[in-house]
Amino acid sequence: MKLTSIQFLVVGVFVLMLPFCTTAQEEVLSKSEAIALTLENNYNIAVAGNTVEIAENNADLLNSNYLPSIFGLAGANYSVQDQQTDRDDGQSFELNDARSESYNASLNLEYTLFDGLGRLYNYKSLKENYNLSKLEARETIENTVLQLFSVYYEVARLTENVEILEQTLEISRNRVKRAGYQFDYGQNTKLEVLNAEVDVTNDSINLMNTRQLLQNTKRDLNVVLARNLQAGFAVDTNVTFIPKIQLESYIDLAQENNVRILQSESAITLSEYDIQSSKARFLPTVGLSGSYGWNESISPASAFFGGSTRQTTGWQGGLSLRWNLFDGGTSITQFKNAKIAKDNQELLKQQIELEVERDIANALGNYENLVDVFEIQEQNVITNKNNFERSKERFNLGQITSIEFRQAQINLINAQTNKNLAKYEAKFAELQLLQQIGQLLNIEF
């Protein structure tokens, strides 16, 4: 679309003002600050933390069945009856509206002395479930940190691209001025001026679109940080890579630190406890009970006795044993199934170990390849800068056309933006590798 001179001026003024509206006095959000905000505010991490807290509560002694049960009982009964008694001597005794009352209250204690070690392994299971929930929370945190840096580095890439496009637009504006002067002095045609104005328009639109995309991506980052979407900030565009020798030392310990492998080991431990709990069903249960109670009963008169009131108070204790010699085969079935479940968990661990080994190899290969691409792109930028500077000199001397100069400018833009893309892709690939080897949360950003 061809713009008029007024439209061209409006676009140029708007693009010139836009940097002051969007980036002025924005504080830099460092990587460490971004992680701190994410850990503090992110909703997924908060839910994972609450899940861990629930598992910790479940693993407490209060939920272990090791403590006795103490409870109180109280009751009252009241009845009104008409009674008739025929005695052996032929006499009859009648009593109408005979009232009977009874009251009781007691404090009771029940305690399981031995249940075949079932509660021991149930308690251990609760402890292991707590450990598993912490591993699951760690996995959630790792995934969220990766999500954070995926967006953070995209903001950084777009920030650098905006700077590149601003420089490009400035060069194109100078070219318009030069073409206008040359036309005024009859050194070129109006076509050169129009071509320069078209290039400024295209550069302005590219800059506007990139700035808008940058603002959208900043809002995406604020969502991850769980804070005000309109919060303004800049990001740190510096990137450093972990030394190769340090990465190799991390890879050697990957099997010990990978969260998926640790989760599979925890699942095997839980299966072992399930087997032991199933065995406990074959052993007897010994229980202890005791109470201190008060009872009172009021009885009406009868054919042989007058009315009476009776009260009792005192202690009572007992010991019980229950042994299910045969429960229809349920215990045997559960025991067999528990053993099969453990075998399945061991098979799953072997599969996970193989998958993790593959994922580490793929992540390492991707990382090394992207680092090489980044280094090539760095050299490519140097080459294109030299080419652009030479083209600029020749263009100023009139030795090349504006089309050739524009092509050199476009080549430099592409080289610079490709370098930015390669830099952040390589860094993100490094973070993915660190997650696979279990070190993502152990490094300083």
Side-chain angles (χ1 to χ4, degrees):
M1 179 180 68
K2 184 176 179 180
L3 301 179
T4 66
S5 298
I6 295 178
Q7 290 173 318
F8 173 77
L9 179 61
V10 170
V11 170
V13 172
F14 177 74
V15 174
L16 184 62
M17 292 177 61
L18 196 56
F20 300 97
C21 299
T22 58
T23 60
Q25 297 182 348
E26 288 182 339
E27 294 185 1
V28 175
L29 176 67
S30 69
K31 301 177 183 72
S32 58
E33 289 172 340
I35 292 177
L37 285 172
T38 301
L39 295 178
E40 181 180 356
N41 299 332
N42 184 268
Y43 297 115
N44 290 332
I45 292 178
V47 170
N50 289 337
T51 302
V52 171
E53 188 174 352
I54 290 173
E56 184 178 12
N57 292 337
N58 289 338
D60 192 81
L61 184 65
L62 295 174
N63 193 44
S64 66
N65 291 328
Y66 271 107
L67 300 179
S69 175
I70 300 175
F71 56 95
L73 292 175
N77 291 294
Y78 181 82
S79 66
V80 179
Q81 298 175 338
D82 294 334
Q83 299 178 2
Q84 180 176 338
T85 304
D86 294 327
R87 301 186 350 183
D88 291 341
D89 58 6
Q91 295 182 359
S92 297
F93 179 81
E94 292 185 6
L95 180 63
N96 295 324
D97 297 330
R99 292 180 298 174
S100 298
E101 302 175 38
S102 65
Y103 305 94
N104 65 83
S106 63
L107 184 64
N108 303 271
L109 179 144
E110 292 181 354
Y111 184 65
T112 300
L113 295 174
F114 179 76
D115 66 346
L117 301 180
R119 62 182 172 181
L120 170 64
Y121 290 105
N122 288 336
Y123 185 48
K124 288 184 176 182
S125 248
L126 293 173
K127 289 286 188 183
E128 191 58 40
N129 271 313
Y130 171 52
N131 293 332
L132 181 58
S133 69
K134 290 195 292 184
L135 291 172
E136 292 170 346
R138 171 187 154 186
E139 185 177 28
T140 298
I141 294 173
E142 288 181 351
N143 291 334
T144 304
V145 168
L146 274 185
Q147 180 190 12
L148 165 68
F149 280 105
S150 173
V151 184
Y152 187 96
Y153 287 141
E154 181 64 8
V155 172
R157 184 183 74 85
L158 291 172
T159 299
E160 292 193 306
N161 284 357
V162 165
E163 294 174 357
I164 292 170
L165 293 175
E166 287 174 346
Q167 295 171 4
T168 300
L169 180 58
E170 183 63 26
I171 292 172
S172 295
R173 285 202 186 103
N174 292 334
R175 184 174 144 219
V176 169
K177 293 179 182 178
R178 178 182 176 83
Y181 293 149
Q182 290 176 336
F183 175 74
D184 292 340
Y185 289 99
Q187 296 178 356
N188 62 19
T189 65
K190 185 64 175 180
L191 181 62
E192 289 289 335
V193 177
L194 294 175
N195 285 336
E197 290 180 350
V198 168
D199 290 339
V200 167
T201 301
N202 291 332
D203 292 342
S204 300
I205 292 173
N206 289 337
L207 179 57
M208 290 168 60
N209 289 337
T210 304
R211 280 179 174 152
Q212 183 59 52
L213 184 57
L214 174 60
Q215 293 305 313
N216 293 346
T217 309
K218 283 187 175 183
R219 281 188 281 270
D220 291 338
L221 185 57
N222 281 331
V223 169
V224 179
L225 300 176
R227 66 177 187 174
N228 187 347
L229 295 182
Q230 305 308 320
F233 61 92
V235 296
D236 182 6
T237 58
N238 294 321
V239 167
T240 57
F241 296 98
I242 296 177
K244 185 176 181 181
I245 188 171
Q246 187 175 352
L247 274 179
E248 290 175 349
S249 66
Y250 289 156
I251 292 173
D252 292 339
L253 300 174
Q255 295 292 324
E256 300 176 15
N257 296 317
N258 180 272
V259 68
R260 292 184 62 200
I261 293 178
L262 294 175
Q263 286 174 341
S264 67
E265 291 174 349
S266 180
I268 290 175
T269 301
L270 287 171
S271 297
E272 292 174 348
Y273 292 152
D274 286 342
I275 292 175
Q276 297 300 327
S277 295
S278 299
K279 286 182 179 180
R281 296 172 64 92
F282 297 112
L283 298 175
T285 299
V286 180
L288 175 68
S289 63
S291 66
Y292 181 81
W294 165 81
N295 291 273
E296 180 179 17
S297 62
I298 302 174
S299 302
S302 65
F304 303 98
F305 303 100
S308 64
T309 299
R310 181 183 180 189
Q311 284 189 359
T312 60
T313 56
W315 296 94
Q316 181 181 349
L319 191 66
S320 64
L321 182 144
R322 178 184 175 89
W323 197 341
N324 287 332
L325 299 178
F326 183 70
D327 61 358
T330 301
S331 297
I332 295 174
T333 302
Q334 289 185 351
F335 176 68
K336 289 181 178 179
N337 289 342
K339 293 181 66 176
I340 295 173
K342 180 188 175 184
D343 292 339
N344 285 342
Q345 291 297 337
E346 290 177 341
L347 291 172
L348 287 174
K349 181 187 176 185
Q350 294 176 16
Q351 179 182 353
I352 289 173
E353 287 176 338
L354 187 61
E355 291 175 352
V356 168
E357 184 178 357
R358 175 206 62 194
D359 293 342
I360 291 174
N362 290 346
L364 179 60
N366 291 338
Y367 168 67
E368 292 176 340
N369 180 69
L370 288 170
V371 169
D372 291 339
V373 170
F374 171 55
E375 293 174 352
I376 293 173
Q377 293 290 3
E378 280 187 313
Q379 184 60 46
N380 190 38
V381 168
I382 295 174
T383 302
N384 277 278
K385 276 185 176 180
N386 293 333
N387 178 63
F388 174 75
E389 293 299 329
R390 290 177 60 86
S391 298
K392 184 177 179 181
E393 292 174 1
R394 296 183 64 188
F395 176 71
N396 292 335
L397 294 173
Q399 296 177 351
I400 62 174
T401 66
S402 61
I403 295 177
E404 291 173 315
F405 174 76
R406 178 64 175 176
Q407 187 59 52
Q409 187 182 27
I410 291 175
N411 290 341
L412 177 59
I413 295 171
N414 291 337
Q416 291 173 323
T417 56
N418 288 339
K419 186 203 77 170
N420 290 341
L421 178 62
K423 176 173 70 171
Y424 294 113
E425 282 186 339
K427 184 59 182 179
F428 189 69
E430 181 187 78
L431 298 183
Q432 290 176 312
L433 175 60
L434 289 170
Q435 182 192 28
Q436 292 296 332
I437 58 182
Q439 298 293 337
L440 181 60
L441 304 181
N442 299 329
I443 63 170
E444 293 185 3
F445 290 91

